[in-house]
Structures are given as structure tokens and as C-alpha cells.
């Protein structure tokens, strides 16, 4: 079980990283829309993932994206922040008895409403940090907000599409 989870998460890491840097980053959707699907890796880690491991995996994924995109530390910082708040978001959205620690917060396990709220909160946190760091100024705060809103929507649509394409069996989707 542990080795199976490790293989799945390793393949997920590599697949989402390659999808982000080779495909999605090469599709231009305008100045304001920047979809990020690599964050799905952090979103889908099991509930019982230790906090230190979340931070380390968030940094590793963000740093890998930064290496390919030439954005020194921006994605790493945003992804570490997202990994940091993840346990608090999950705890505020669920009761302990409602989740199995070995499960992952996916569409199939938690249902579409829960997953949409969870993903929206996490993507918003990631994107606002990323865009504010990128601008390094509050003068263009409204631009960061517009980019965040449009990027969250586009990221969420792509993430749901990816999850539906690679779904196993979703009984709780609706």
C-alpha cells in the first residue's frame, strides 16, 4: 500500500510537472489568465501527510516549475504557502470523523461541492501570493486580483477536466 501510494504520487508529480511546463505554459491565453495545474499534486496528497512533508513536497514541485520557467522562487514560495495552509483549510472544512486519514481529498472521496470549495480556496491562496510576489508592489494590486480570479477559474476548469479524465469511480461526485 505504501509503495503503491509512493509510485502513484511520483508519477503524478512528474506528469503534472511535464503537463504544466511543456503544454500549459506554452498556451497563451492573454495577460490575465495563467492556469496552474501542477498544484493538483499538493491538493491530492493524502490527508495524513505530515506537515513537514507537505512543505518539502510543495517546495520541490514549485522549485521544479521555477527551474523550467525561469521564475526564481516565485512558484516555490507560492506552493510552499499553499502547502502550509492546506491542513488548516482541510480542518476548517471537515470533521475528523468524516475523513479516513489514508484517503486523499479527491472528487471521489469528498464530492464535487467540497472539492470545488477546497480547490478554490487553495488556488486563490497560491495565485495571490504568486502574482503579488511577481509584481513586488501593491500599486498593481487590482491587476493581481484580476489575474488571480481569472487564473483560479481557468486552473479549476483544467483540474476538474484532468480529474474526470483520470477518474477511477466517482460515486460521490454529485
Amino acid at each position: 500500500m505504501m509503495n503503491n501510494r509512493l509510485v502513484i504520487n511520483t508519477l503524478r508529480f512528474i506528469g503534472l510537472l511535464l503537463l504544466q511546463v511543456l503544454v500549459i505554459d506554452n498556451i497563451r491565453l492573454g495577460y490575465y489568465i495563467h492556469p496552474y495545474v501542477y498544484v493538483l499534486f499538493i491538493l491530492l496528497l493524502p490527508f495524513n501527510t505530515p506537515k513537514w512533508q507537505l512543505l518539502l513536497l510543495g517546495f520541490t514541485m514549485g522549485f521544479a516549475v521555477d527551474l523550467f520557467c525561469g521564475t526564481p522562487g516565485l512558484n516555490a514560495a507560492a506552493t510552499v504557502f499553499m502547502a502550509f495552509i492546506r491542513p488548516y483549510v482541510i480542518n476548517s472544512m471537515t470533521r475528523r470523523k468524516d475523513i479516513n486519514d489514508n484517503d486523499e481529498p479527491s472528487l471521489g472521496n469528498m464530492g464535487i461541492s467540497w472539492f470545488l470549495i477546497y480547490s478554490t480556496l487553495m488556488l486563490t491562496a497560491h495565485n495571490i501570493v504568486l502574482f503579488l510576489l511577481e509584481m513586488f508592489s501593491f500599486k498593481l494590486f487590482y491587476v493581481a486580483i484580476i489575474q488571480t480570479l481569472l487564473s483560479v477559474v481557468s486552473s479549476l476548469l483544467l483540474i476538474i477536466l484532468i480529474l474526470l479524465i483520470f477518474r477511477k469511480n466517482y460515486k460521490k461526485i454529485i
Side-chain angles (χ1 to χ4, degrees):
M1 178 75 167
M2 176 70 166
N3 288 337
N4 188 27
R5 172 107 359 144
L6 180 63
V7 169
I8 288 170
N9 282 326
T10 302
L11 291 174
R12 188 179 286 159
F13 181 97
I14 294 167
L16 288 169
L17 175 64
L18 292 175
L19 178 63
Q20 183 70 49
V21 299
L22 297 177
V23 178
I24 294 175
D25 285 349
N26 290 310
I27 299 172
R28 299 288 171 236
L29 298 172
Y31 179 74
Y32 295 107
I33 302 173
H34 309 280
Y36 295 104
V37 296
Y38 74 91
V39 298
L40 183 59
F41 175 73
I42 300 297
L43 293 176
L44 292 180
L45 287 171
F47 287 112
N48 65 354
T49 305
K51 290 178 185 178
W52 68 268
Q53 206 171 29
L54 282 172
L55 295 174
L56 183 63
L57 290 169
F59 174 78
T60 305
M61 177 58 99
F63 185 70
V65 172
D66 284 332
L67 285 176
F68 282 100
C69 298
T71 52
L74 294 179
N75 289 288
T79 310
V80 166
F81 180 74
M82 188 182 83
F84 176 76
I85 68 165
R86 180 182 183 260
Y88 302 105
V89 171
I90 289 173
N91 287 338
S92 70
M93 292 181 62
T94 57
R95 294 180 302 217
R96 213 61 206 144
K97 65 179 184 164
D98 291 342
I99 59 173
N100 178 357
D101 281 345
N102 292 321
D103 282 344
E104 58 187 33
S106 63
L107 281 173
N109 292 332
M110 303 307 289
I112 189 129
S113 311
W114 187 95
F115 190 81
L116 284 174
I117 294 168
Y118 164 67
S119 299
T120 301
L121 291 171
M122 298 294 286
L123 284 164
T124 301
H126 172 272
N127 288 348
I128 201 90
V129 168
L130 181 73
F131 295 135
L132 284 176
L133 284 174
E134 184 179 48
M135 291 174 193
F136 207 66
S137 168
F138 283 107
K139 289 180 182 176
L140 298 174
F141 184 73
Y142 68 94
V143 174
I145 296 299
I146 292 169
Q147 283 182 319
T148 297
L149 293 174
L150 293 175
S151 296
V152 165
V153 170
S154 63
S155 298
L156 203 53
L157 290 172
L158 285 173
I159 284 171
I160 297 298
L161 182 64
I162 290 168
L163 290 174
L164 290 174
I165 289 170
F166 291 102
R167 76 178 181 264
K168 293 174 191 162
N169 185 11
Y170 290 162
K171 296 175 187 165
K172 281 179 96 174
I173 270 191
I174 298 182

